[in-house]
Amino acid sequence: MSRTEVTIDVELDEDAIHNLPFNRAVQDDLAQRMDRVVQVAQAIAPVLTGRYRASIHRIPEPGPEGEVSVEANVPYAIYVEHGTRQTDRTGRSIHPPRYTLSTALDAAAGDH
């Protein structure tokens, strides 16, 4: 039985790899995905006054490494997302975690 050896040399284009997150098509795709996250988050957000739900939005400019982010920028968003330790007289949680943005990110992932 004969044996064949194959050698493949690969030269990486480091500039292309580094700049890929900033490519217009990649940024457009990320923006569309994050817009879907916003839609889902707003649909499942708990509503008392509506301020939390209205504050959920995609940050318009990409981050320093090309990332596209969604935020809820009311001061109490962290407490809506992760809850508090406060309990009522019977020991039940008054502000349980809702994981709105986390759930929306999972739900809007689609096929990837």
PDB file of all heavy atoms in Angstrom, residues 36-37 40 44 101-110:
ATOM      1  N   ARG A  36     -33.635  42.265  16.340  1.00  0.00           N
ATOM      2  CA  ARG A  36     -34.555  41.179  16.714  1.00  0.00           C
ATOM      3  C   ARG A  36     -34.513  40.950  18.231  1.00  0.00           C
ATOM      4  O   ARG A  36     -35.541  40.716  18.858  1.00  0.00           O
ATOM      5  CB  ARG A  36     -34.174  39.896  15.960  1.00  0.00           C
ATOM      6  CG  ARG A  36     -35.044  38.719  16.277  1.00  0.00           C
ATOM      7  CD  ARG A  36     -36.445  38.869  15.697  1.00  0.00           C
ATOM      8  NE  ARG A  36     -37.230  37.712  16.090  1.00  0.00           N
ATOM      9  CZ  ARG A  36     -38.423  37.782  16.638  1.00  0.00           C
ATOM     10  NH1 ARG A  36     -39.016  38.944  16.804  1.00  0.00           N
ATOM     11  NH2 ARG A  36     -39.054  36.694  16.991  1.00  0.00           N
ATOM     12  N   VAL A  37     -33.344  41.043  18.831  1.00  0.00           N
ATOM     13  CA  VAL A  37     -33.221  40.921  20.289  1.00  0.00           C
ATOM     14  C   VAL A  37     -34.044  42.013  20.960  1.00  0.00           C
ATOM     15  O   VAL A  37     -34.768  41.755  21.930  1.00  0.00           O
ATOM     16  CB  VAL A  37     -31.746  40.981  20.739  1.00  0.00           C
ATOM     17  CG1 VAL A  37     -31.631  41.100  22.251  1.00  0.00           C
ATOM     18  CG2 VAL A  37     -30.981  39.758  20.234  1.00  0.00           C
ATOM     19  N   VAL A  40     -37.794  41.142  20.768  1.00  0.00           N
ATOM     20  CA  VAL A  40     -38.170  40.074  21.703  1.00  0.00           C
ATOM     21  C   VAL A  40     -38.138  40.601  23.134  1.00  0.00           C
ATOM     22  O   VAL A  40     -39.054  40.358  23.915  1.00  0.00           O
ATOM     23  CB  VAL A  40     -37.249  38.840  21.543  1.00  0.00           C
ATOM     24  CG1 VAL A  40     -37.510  37.821  22.628  1.00  0.00           C
ATOM     25  CG2 VAL A  40     -37.437  38.218  20.166  1.00  0.00           C
ATOM     26  N   ILE A  44     -41.308  40.729  25.892  1.00  0.00           N
ATOM     27  CA  ILE A  44     -41.389  39.931  27.123  1.00  0.00           C
ATOM     28  C   ILE A  44     -41.053  40.721  28.384  1.00  0.00           C
ATOM     29  O   ILE A  44     -41.131  40.173  29.484  1.00  0.00           O
ATOM     30  CB  ILE A  44     -40.480  38.691  27.035  1.00  0.00           C
ATOM     31  CG1 ILE A  44     -39.005  39.084  26.977  1.00  0.00           C
ATOM     32  CG2 ILE A  44     -40.881  37.796  25.874  1.00  0.00           C
ATOM     33  CD1 ILE A  44     -38.042  37.909  27.074  1.00  0.00           C
ATOM     34  N   LEU A 101     -33.241  40.472  28.991  1.00  0.00           N
ATOM     35  CA  LEU A 101     -32.278  40.598  27.893  1.00  0.00           C
ATOM     36  C   LEU A 101     -31.596  39.270  27.593  1.00  0.00           C
ATOM     37  O   LEU A 101     -31.375  38.935  26.424  1.00  0.00           O
ATOM     38  CB  LEU A 101     -31.241  41.681  28.212  1.00  0.00           C
ATOM     39  CG  LEU A 101     -31.805  43.098  28.343  1.00  0.00           C
ATOM     40  CD1 LEU A 101     -30.705  44.068  28.745  1.00  0.00           C
ATOM     41  CD2 LEU A 101     -32.468  43.545  27.057  1.00  0.00           C
ATOM     42  N   SER A 102     -31.299  38.502  28.621  1.00  0.00           N
ATOM     43  CA  SER A 102     -30.683  37.185  28.415  1.00  0.00           C
ATOM     44  C   SER A 102     -31.611  36.263  27.626  1.00  0.00           C
ATOM     45  O   SER A 102     -31.189  35.588  26.681  1.00  0.00           O
ATOM     46  CB  SER A 102     -30.357  36.537  29.752  1.00  0.00           C
ATOM     47  OG  SER A 102     -29.522  37.353  30.522  1.00  0.00           O
ATOM     48  N   THR A 103     -32.871  36.242  28.018  1.00  0.00           N
ATOM     49  CA  THR A 103     -33.861  35.404  27.334  1.00  0.00           C
ATOM     50  C   THR A 103     -34.062  35.865  25.897  1.00  0.00           C
ATOM     51  O   THR A 103     -34.136  35.047  24.982  1.00  0.00           O
ATOM     52  CB  THR A 103     -35.199  35.430  28.094  1.00  0.00           C
ATOM     53  OG1 THR A 103     -34.975  34.984  29.433  1.00  0.00           O
ATOM     54  CG2 THR A 103     -36.241  34.564  27.420  1.00  0.00           C
ATOM     55  N   ALA A 104     -34.112  37.182  25.692  1.00  0.00           N
ATOM     56  CA  ALA A 104     -34.299  37.715  24.346  1.00  0.00           C
ATOM     57  C   ALA A 104     -33.125  37.361  23.445  1.00  0.00           C
ATOM     58  O   ALA A 104     -33.310  37.020  22.275  1.00  0.00           O
ATOM     59  CB  ALA A 104     -34.487  39.229  24.388  1.00  0.00           C
ATOM     60  N   LEU A 105     -31.932  37.406  23.998  1.00  0.00           N
ATOM     61  CA  LEU A 105     -30.740  37.044  23.219  1.00  0.00           C
ATOM     62  C   LEU A 105     -30.803  35.579  22.784  1.00  0.00           C
ATOM     63  O   LEU A 105     -30.537  35.250  21.628  1.00  0.00           O
ATOM     64  CB  LEU A 105     -29.479  37.311  24.027  1.00  0.00           C
ATOM     65  CG  LEU A 105     -28.168  37.180  23.300  1.00  0.00           C
ATOM     66  CD1 LEU A 105     -28.093  38.122  22.119  1.00  0.00           C
ATOM     67  CD2 LEU A 105     -27.012  37.447  24.254  1.00  0.00           C
ATOM     68  N   ASP A 106     -31.218  34.708  23.693  1.00  0.00           N
ATOM     69  CA  ASP A 106     -31.373  33.298  23.353  1.00  0.00           C
ATOM     70  C   ASP A 106     -32.498  33.088  22.342  1.00  0.00           C
ATOM     71  O   ASP A 106     -32.340  32.346  21.371  1.00  0.00           O
ATOM     72  CB  ASP A 106     -31.655  32.460  24.598  1.00  0.00           C
ATOM     73  CG  ASP A 106     -30.445  32.285  25.483  1.00  0.00           C
ATOM     74  OD1 ASP A 106     -29.320  32.527  25.004  1.00  0.00           O
ATOM     75  OD2 ASP A 106     -30.622  31.918  26.658  1.00  0.00           O
ATOM     76  N   ALA A 107     -33.632  33.732  22.569  1.00  0.00           N
ATOM     77  CA  ALA A 107     -34.808  33.530  21.722  1.00  0.00           C
ATOM     78  C   ALA A 107     -34.605  34.067  20.308  1.00  0.00           C
ATOM     79  O   ALA A 107     -35.120  33.504  19.348  1.00  0.00           O
ATOM     80  CB  ALA A 107     -36.024  34.193  22.349  1.00  0.00           C
ATOM     81  N   ALA A 108     -33.853  35.140  20.183  1.00  0.00           N
ATOM     82  CA  ALA A 108     -33.674  35.763  18.875  1.00  0.00           C
ATOM     83  C   ALA A 108     -32.494  35.204  18.100  1.00  0.00           C
ATOM     84  O   ALA A 108     -32.226  35.622  16.974  1.00  0.00           O
ATOM     85  CB  ALA A 108     -33.493  37.269  19.043  1.00  0.00           C
ATOM     86  N   ALA A 109     -31.789  34.232  18.671  1.00  0.00           N
ATOM     87  CA  ALA A 109     -30.592  33.713  18.044  1.00  0.00           C
ATOM     88  C   ALA A 109     -30.848  33.127  16.663  1.00  0.00           C
ATOM     89  O   ALA A 109     -30.046  33.291  15.756  1.00  0.00           O
ATOM     90  CB  ALA A 109     -29.927  32.670  18.943  1.00  0.00           C
ATOM     91  N   GLY A 110     -31.964  32.464  16.479  1.00  0.00           N
ATOM     92  CA  GLY A 110     -32.265  31.884  15.178  1.00  0.00           C
ATOM     93  C   GLY A 110     -31.263  30.811  14.804  1.00  0.00           C
ATOM     94  O   GLY A 110     -30.656  30.177  15.658  1.00  0.00           O
TER      95      GLY A 110
END
